[in-house]
Amino acid sequence: MGARQSGACCKDKGLPGPGPLRGRQKFSPWDEALLPGRDPRCLLKRGLRHVSFSLVTTGMTDAPDFLWGLSEVQKLNLSHNQLRALPPDVGRLTRLVVLNLCGNRLKSLPRELSLLRSLKVLFLHMNCLTELPAELSACQSLEVLGLSHNCLSQLPASFADLARLRKLNLSHNRFAHIPVCVFALKELDFLHVGSNRLENIAESIQCLASLQIFIAESNNIHAFPRALCLLTSLELLNLNNNNIQTLPEELYLLCRLARIAWNPMDKGLHISRNPLSKPLPELLEGGLEMLFGYLKDKKHT
């Protein structure tokens, strides 16, 4: 029996039909807000600093069309949905400062992201990206870029133009080497390349003089590059779970490393789960001062 017949049958028998409390269709949060014909702008949240809009974990596969007309929105959160594509209309949101697209199913991004000239923070973690548009380099205000847990193996050379980028997360991808364009990002103070396919770290790493946190854990790095010892601003250096056997004698130059760190959240030198040759494992147990003393003596003998 069809839905219409079923409703009529309920009515004929004097039984309650599919009213507001029984059999009610469930609407998405934005549909429900718009049912009375209200302006979509009623969904915007106006904080002290930013106008924001959020549709998190709603399970949507396509973003609603009205979204691209909210020209005043500055923070947009569409994370943890089922989005497979982002329409070119996203380029109409020219006031965006923060865009969060984490936890979707995006395989590519539209070139129109280049129109977001005010964008400072872009989160793309946990998607299915295999490449990024070269036009993204036009987002000259970008300071934070999160790309972890994707399928990336390279970055466009034009990314070298992201002169204001300070934090870059490339972890859990398919990089066989750190992209050359990364070494041109002079303002970087955070770089995460853990859980990739790295076997070495290029000497060009020394170009990142502002780097304070460098994480390259869970790769297959065979040697601790001496160039890392020139990054004297480093406060956290994580090379855990690689294939490193020796440490460079110049390691003591990293004077801002406060300790041998064992907790992933601690600043310091993380070098556990490597096949270090003797006597390095015993020296690590004695702390950073003992390790540095040994390396200094070794250098001068």
Side-chain angles (χ1 to χ4, degrees):
M1 184 178 292
R4 183 176 298 177
Q5 292 174 307
S6 177
C9 181
C10 289
K11 184 176 181 180
D12 292 342
K13 293 183 179 181
L15 298 175
L21 297 179
R22 176 176 298 191
R24 178 185 176 184
Q25 180 182 358
K26 292 184 178 180
F27 293 97
S28 62
W30 61 92
D31 283 338
E32 191 162 352
L34 295 175
L35 281 178
R38 295 161 67 188
D39 192 305
R41 287 170 177 77
C42 69
L43 302 175
L44 294 172
K45 294 184 179 179
R46 301 180 184 274
L48 294 177
R49 298 183 59 187
H50 295 106
V51 178
S52 61
F53 186 89
S54 180
L55 290 175
V56 180
T57 62
T58 58
M60 62 183 179
T61 56
D62 297 291
D65 289 339
F66 72 77
L67 185 59
W68 316 121
L70 303 179
S71 58
E72 60 266 66
V73 69
Q74 295 167 290
K75 296 178 68 175
L76 177 59
N77 189 347
L78 301 178
S79 63
H80 300 288
N81 282 290
Q82 303 292 323
L83 299 177
R84 296 180 181 274
L86 198 63
D89 285 336
V90 68
R92 295 166 58 187
L93 304 181
T94 55
R95 297 185 186 179
L96 272 186
V97 176
V98 179
L99 177 57
N100 188 345
L101 296 167
C102 291
N104 280 285
R105 297 185 178 182
L106 299 174
K107 294 184 178 181
S108 62
L109 299 172
R111 296 176 179 178
E112 286 75 9
L113 281 177
S114 62
L115 301 176
L116 307 182
R117 302 301 172 87
S118 298
L119 195 65
K120 291 185 177 181
V121 179
L122 177 57
F123 291 132
L124 291 161
H125 307 298
M126 295 179 289
N127 276 284
C128 307
L129 297 171
T130 57
E131 61 180 1
L132 297 173
E135 291 81 0
L136 189 59
S137 61
C139 298
Q140 290 291 299
S141 297
L142 201 61
E143 297 179 5
V144 179
L145 179 57
L147 293 165
S148 72
H149 294 86
N150 277 284
C151 304
L152 298 168
S153 59
Q154 58 185 353
L155 295 178
S158 61
F159 270 41
D161 297 332
L162 294 173
R164 296 185 183 180
L165 198 65
R166 296 187 299 108
K167 303 186 187 302
L168 177 60
N169 190 338
L170 300 176
S171 66
H172 295 271
N173 276 284
R174 300 175 180 176
F175 291 100
H177 54 81
I178 299 175
V180 173
C181 60
V182 171
F183 302 129
L185 304 175
K186 305 300 182 183
E187 296 299 315
L188 270 191
D189 59 39
F190 176 98
L191 177 59
H192 193 339
V193 292
S195 298
N196 275 285
R197 301 174 179 178
L198 307 182
E199 295 189 0
N200 58 70
I201 298 173
E203 294 291 314
S204 299
I205 193 74
Q206 63 187 292
C207 297
L208 303 180
S210 299
L211 208 58
Q212 298 176 27
I213 296 177
F214 179 57
I215 304 172
E217 64 179 345
S218 300
N219 281 286
N220 191 31
I221 298 169
H222 298 290
F224 192 121
R226 294 179 184 273
L228 273 178
C229 300
L230 301 177
L231 301 180
T232 53
S233 294
L234 279 176
E235 298 178 5
L236 189 157
L237 173 57
N238 189 337
L239 293 169
N240 284 348
N241 195 26
N242 277 285
N243 196 29
I244 296 170
Q245 299 182 35
T246 62
L247 298 178
E249 296 165 0
E250 297 84 358
L251 186 62
Y252 68 87
L253 296 174
L254 299 179
C255 55
R256 293 195 182 183
L257 296 179
R259 63 179 68 86
I260 300 293
W262 305 99
N263 187 314
M265 302 303 294
D266 286 345
K267 290 185 177 181
L269 175 63
H270 298 252
I271 197 69
S272 62
R273 299 191 299 281
N274 278 281
L276 294 172
S277 57
K278 292 185 176 182
L280 294 176
E282 292 78 8
L283 292 168
L284 293 179
E285 295 291 337
L288 199 58
E289 186 175 349
M290 180 178 291
L291 176 63
F292 281 179
Y294 168 80
L295 294 172
K296 284 182 182 179
D297 291 343
K298 186 178 179 182
K299 181 176 178 63
H300 295 107
T301 56

